[in-house]
Amino acid sequence: ALPVDTDWDIGVDDYTAIWFSQQSRAGDVRLIRYWESAGADATDVGLPAAVAALRQIRETHRYVYGTHWAPHDIKVRDFGTGKARLKTAEGLGLTLRVTPDLSFADGIHATRLLLPRCYFDDAGCAKGIEALRQYRRRYQPKRAEFSGEPAHDKWSHGCLLAGAQVKTATGV
């Protein structure tokens, strides 16, 4: 009975992640599905593949979409076409709203405030939940301390994928 919003993190050289969420009238956020591209070397990369996935998921699960939230970097122009990614999405029939451009620290804080109100569908969000579990700060051995930046290593593609969760926090 509730519209399904999508919350994106755009990956160019990496994964694109999309969370499918519903906000209840009481303010709870239900994360009901998660989709990610298979990575930079795969064929399912770019906006056309993501839009096709949205359409297929809508048909399969009979979703009625609400708002599609994208990060601020959706406004960047593509070098090959000279068009902003936002315009490319519109050309594919997808209207995206842009979330505020928060600092990394503010995005993490917004997510921490949101998480207590979230409920996750274990099956529909399994891959996204695992990505969130892998999200961690980068360790700097020379200083023997953790930085404020996320880790980027072979175990942690969650740093990017969890970015979509930050967009959910600011989108809501």
Side-chain angles (χ1 to χ4, degrees):
L2 296 172
V4 175
D5 295 335
T6 62
D7 310 286
W8 295 52
D9 190 18
I10 306 295
V12 177
D13 294 327
D14 214 332
Y15 296 81
T16 291
I18 304 173
W19 288 94
F20 294 74
S21 64
Q22 294 177 306
Q23 187 167 358
S24 75
R25 288 169 182 79
D28 296 331
V29 177
R30 300 169 185 163
L31 293 147
I32 59 173
R33 185 153 309 283
Y34 173 84
W35 177 88
E36 69 181 42
S37 66
D41 296 330
T43 57
D44 70 338
V45 295
L47 280 167
V51 170
L54 285 180
R55 289 183 179 132
Q56 187 269 326
I57 291 167
R58 179 188 62 211
E59 291 171 16
T60 301
H61 299 284
R62 299 176 46 186
Y63 289 164
V64 174
Y65 287 129
T67 304
H68 300 284
W69 291 100
H72 67 92
D73 59 354
I74 194 76
K75 294 179 181 179
V76 172
R77 291 181 185 266
D78 181 89
F79 181 73
T81 65
K83 287 175 50 176
R85 296 176 189 153
L86 190 60
K87 293 295 180 191
T88 300
E90 288 172 2
L92 295 167
L94 182 67
T95 301
L96 295 164
R97 289 198 50 198
V98 181
T99 58
D101 184 9
L102 299 180
S103 70
F104 182 76
D106 286 344
I108 293 295
H109 180 67
T111 301
R112 286 181 176 151
L113 293 174
L114 178 69
L115 279 174
R117 297 183 8 228
C118 291
Y119 295 89
F120 292 83
D121 177 277
D122 287 341
C125 297
K127 211 168 187 180
I129 292 168
E130 183 57 31
L132 289 171
R133 285 188 177 122
Q134 296 300 320
Y135 194 89
R136 62 192 182 283
R137 294 183 293 167
R138 185 171 45 117
Y139 184 72
Q140 297 177 319
K142 289 183 181 178
R143 294 184 178 171
E145 67 183 17
F146 287 97
S147 75
E149 299 295 315
H152 290 277
D153 56 32
K154 66 181 179 180
W155 301 280
S156 182
H157 75 278
C159 65
L160 176 66
L161 305 182
Q165 176 63 24
V166 174
K167 304 312 177 208
T168 303
T170 57
V172 170

